[in-house]
Amino acid sequence: TQELAAPPASAARLPSGMSTLQLRAGTGKVSPRPQDWIAFFAIGRRTDGTVVQNTFAAPEPIRMQVSRLIPAWQSAFAAMVAGEQRRFWFPAELAPKNPKTGVQEAIVFDLELVRILKMADPPASLKVPDPRAKKSGLGSWTLTVKPGKTGAKATRQDAALLNFTVWNDLGHALSTSALEGRPTLFPLDRVMTSFADCVEGMTVGELRRCWIPAARNEGFPGAPTGALIFELELLNLADAAKIFSPGTPT
């Protein structure tokens, strides 16, 4: 426990007040930004060696957006690259509160940054739609960034296979299909109307941006309230009735 009680002389001190020591070098070249998502393992111990948190035994790493972590953890991961493992000495004033006592106490965390999922930068227009955007449906606004192939256009009877990212009007990424490592299939007759307005008329290969005002946000998964800005890439179309008919596995 001596190594937990105080950082060794070889540890570096960060501007935040934490000290850190590299346990294993990483293979990545860049550190995560606040808007990026990361996958990581963590073990936290008090200075007497008592384990307060351990996710290394879990089958999958934790996935979180960096901006949603407590400030001290944001600072810790900002000093890391993918594949790296570091030990951080959190002084009491920077450490998370003990869930049982509500008291902050000095904690030593070993963190392993497994991977970084880089999020696209938000569109330049957030508070209001891009001036080139056109009104769609009852209040959504859409802009084709890259045209698709000649062929069928998406209708409300289709299931649309999409890559998507959604931001709020502050530019914070709320959700993305990339988190699952694959596109998402949306039956357009079952999603919120304003989202269907965004997709309707797209052709395969098209990249489109869409602005949905707060009043028309009926609760998109991962983005329950407020105005939404989407970037959508249509990969394929299918007949929703055939895919999502009663009794058909989904």
Side-chain angles (χ1 to χ4, degrees):
T1 59
Q2 184 176 357
E3 64 182 16
L4 301 178
S10 55
R13 188 173 176 85
L14 300 177
S16 62
M18 291 187 296
S19 294
T20 182
L21 182 68
Q22 187 182 72
L23 303 178
R24 187 184 69 205
T27 55
K29 302 297 183 184
V30 296
S31 299
R33 304 164 301 168
Q35 68 263 41
D36 294 333
W37 287 71
I38 56 174
F40 65 94
F41 290 109
I43 180 171
R45 292 169 287 181
R46 297 190 182 96
T47 53
D48 64 2
T50 305
V51 175
V52 295
Q53 180 183 11
N54 185 8
T55 71
F56 277 91
E60 294 291 334
I62 298 171
R63 293 192 304 180
M64 286 282 290
Q65 191 173 27
V66 175
S67 62
R68 300 183 187 184
L69 298 169
I70 63 171
W73 281 51
Q74 292 184 40
S75 174
F77 283 114
M80 299 179 68
V81 297
E84 187 175 7
Q85 191 175 82
R86 278 187 172 272
R87 179 165 294 161
F88 292 90
W89 286 261
F90 287 67
E93 63 271 18
L94 295 178
K97 291 182 179 180
N98 184 314
K100 294 182 179 179
T101 65
V103 176
Q104 289 176 289
E105 52 191 4
I107 297 288
V108 179
F109 274 101
D110 287 359
L111 302 176
E112 179 183 346
L113 180 53
V114 179
R115 60 183 175 271
I116 301 170
L117 177 62
K118 289 288 185 181
M119 298 295 293
D121 291 328
S125 298
L126 290 168
K127 296 292 185 183
V128 296
D130 188 291
R132 299 168 294 170
K134 297 179 180 179
K135 190 173 183 180
S136 177
L138 299 176
S140 300
W141 294 78
T142 63
L143 173 68
T144 295
V145 178
K146 185 187 76 173
K149 302 174 183 177
T150 302
K153 295 183 178 182
T155 71
R156 301 301 174 104
Q157 287 71 50
D158 289 322
L161 188 66
L162 295 164
N163 284 326
F164 78 91
T165 300
V166 56
W167 299 268
N168 63 17
D169 60 8
L170 297 177
H172 298 154
L174 302 175
S175 185
T176 173
S177 56
L179 281 177
E180 301 301 328
R182 59 181 183 272
T184 304
L185 188 66
F186 293 96
L188 298 183
D189 62 344
R190 302 188 187 188
V191 298
M192 65 182 191
T193 305
S194 54
F195 183 75
D197 288 342
C198 292
V199 181
E200 189 169 22
M202 290 183 74
T203 59
V204 172
E206 183 176 346
L207 185 67
R208 180 179 284 192
R209 288 190 185 137
C210 179
W211 290 260
I212 296 176
R216 298 214 57 223
N217 177 5
E218 301 160 14
F220 188 86
T225 61
L228 305 175
I229 300 92
F230 283 91
E231 186 162 274
L232 308 169
E233 181 186 16
L234 180 61
L235 303 178
N236 210 344
L237 291 170
D239 186 336
K242 292 181 179 178
I243 296 177
F244 295 98
S245 60
T248 302
T250 58

